[in-house]
Amino acid sequence: MEVTLTQLIQMAPELGSILRDDVRSGRLKAIRKRGVAGRPYVLSTEDLEASGRPEYRELAELAERTPASMTPRTKRMVSQAMPNMMHQGTELFDIMESQHMMLKDLVQVLTEEMRNRYDRLDRQNVQMQELSYKLGQAHQQIARLERMLAERSFGRVDEAN
């Protein structure tokens, strides 16, 4: 059975420094595992029993008698947290999806509003051009009427003389 050095130290704190020294010096066979927090050394209970020290044999027996606490902490945390993480992941996905839909609706509304604004500006521009043309025609008509009026009034002045 595999046990981490941290778990062994928690079970027997008085043996902590001796265990660490023996692992570091190579007297106890240990494997460094990735993903194990703290002291990433994993030992087998068989190696502890074969070490020859009575304290280690007792520690190995204690470790084998309490298998629930000996499962590596990361495996326990992952197995306990997995359903919760899956639930949180689906909640996060639902939130992101609803935000995406809201953002998409907002962009559509803004696009429609901009399109309406440009259409309104185009219509106003056309109306301004039409009014400008009519104003020009009105000025021409006024100028023609003024000339006609001037010709008549000069014509009457000439007749009066």
Side-chain angles (χ1 to χ4, degrees), residues 135-154:
L135 182 63
Q137 284 182 332
H139 279 295
Q140 288 176 355
Q141 184 69 22
I142 291 171
R144 194 166 19 105
L145 289 173
E146 286 177 344
R147 276 194 310 272
M148 285 174 51
L149 184 64
E151 287 175 5
R152 284 190 182 173
S153 53
F154 285 131

Side-chain angles (χ1 to χ4, degrees), residues 26-158:
R27 283 176 261 167
L28 273 178
K29 183 179 171 187
I31 302 168
R32 286 189 79 131
K33 289 268 183 145
R34 291 183 179 258
V36 177
R39 298 170 192 92
Y41 295 103
V42 177
L43 300 108
S44 71
T45 53
E46 292 83 22
D47 289 340
L48 280 174
E49 289 174 355
S51 69
R53 293 186 78 162
E55 306 91 28
Y56 289 170
R57 274 187 242 129
E58 290 175 19
L59 192 58
E61 290 173 12
L62 180 63
E64 290 199 8
R65 278 185 292 189
T66 55
S69 66
M70 288 295 101
T71 56
R73 183 175 176 189
T74 55
K75 286 183 183 176
R76 274 187 287 146
M77 288 179 65
V78 167
S79 64
Q80 291 170 355
M82 195 56 110
N84 190 24
M85 288 173 53
M86 294 291 285
H87 180 66
Q88 288 175 350
T90 57
E91 284 180 358
L92 180 64
F93 180 76
D94 291 342
I95 290 170
M96 289 180 70
E97 186 178 28
S98 67
Q99 286 181 344
H100 170 72
M101 294 306 288
M102 288 176 8
L103 194 62
K104 184 178 173 185
D105 292 342
L106 180 65
V107 168
Q108 286 177 344
V109 167
L110 289 175
T111 303
E112 186 65 29
E113 187 63 34
M114 290 294 291
R115 188 175 299 126
N116 290 340
R117 184 174 289 169
Y118 285 131
D119 289 345
R120 188 173 60 242
L121 286 173
D122 287 343
R123 283 193 310 269
Q124 287 176 349
N125 192 17
V126 168
Q127 287 175 345
M128 290 293 290
Q129 287 178 352
E130 290 173 357
L131 288 174
S132 176
Y133 177 74
K134 289 180 181 179
L135 182 63
Q137 284 182 332
H139 279 295
Q140 288 176 355
Q141 184 69 22
I142 291 171
R144 194 166 19 105
L145 289 173
E146 286 177 344
R147 276 194 310 272
M148 285 174 51
L149 184 64
E151 287 175 5
R152 284 190 182 173
S153 53
F154 285 131
R156 286 189 188 164
V157 171
D158 286 340

